[in-house]
Amino acid sequence: MKLSFEQMLIEVWRQTLVENAKFVVLGTERYPVRLTPKRHLRQVDFVFDGNEIRGLEQNPETKSR
């Protein structure tokens, strides 16, 4: 079964931020979770319907909301 965009975002969020996974698994594809060089925020690049999407953790130390 193919995931909707919303379901895919929830899966990426759950695996990356809740489970602290090193790889996000979406169907048969695996995408590495990397850390940004400066702030060490988690990021994962994945593909949805042929489009490359980047999920990036929000900086918890920022003053902006």
Side-chain angles (χ1 to χ4, degrees):
M1 178 173 70
K2 186 173 176 173
L3 295 175
S4 70
F5 185 63
E6 291 81 9
Q7 291 169 320
M8 188 169 281
L9 290 177
I10 291 169
E11 271 302 302
V12 170
W13 168 81
R14 182 181 59 77
Q15 292 180 42
T16 305
L17 299 177
V18 176
E19 297 176 1
N20 201 26
K22 301 295 180 204
F23 289 89
V24 171
V25 179
L26 300 171
T28 60
E29 300 294 324
R30 288 172 38 112
Y31 302 98
V33 177
R34 299 184 317 265
L35 297 177
T36 60
K38 191 171 183 180
R39 301 277 183 213
H40 301 287
L41 303 173
R42 290 172 282 197
Q43 74 177 27
V44 60
D45 295 330
F46 60 97
V47 177
F48 180 78
D49 278 347
N51 297 306
E52 292 187 22
I53 310 288
R54 174 169 290 165
L56 180 61
E57 179 180 21
Q58 182 178 351
N59 184 353
E61 298 172 5
T62 188
K63 294 187 182 357
S64 65
R65 299 273 175 204

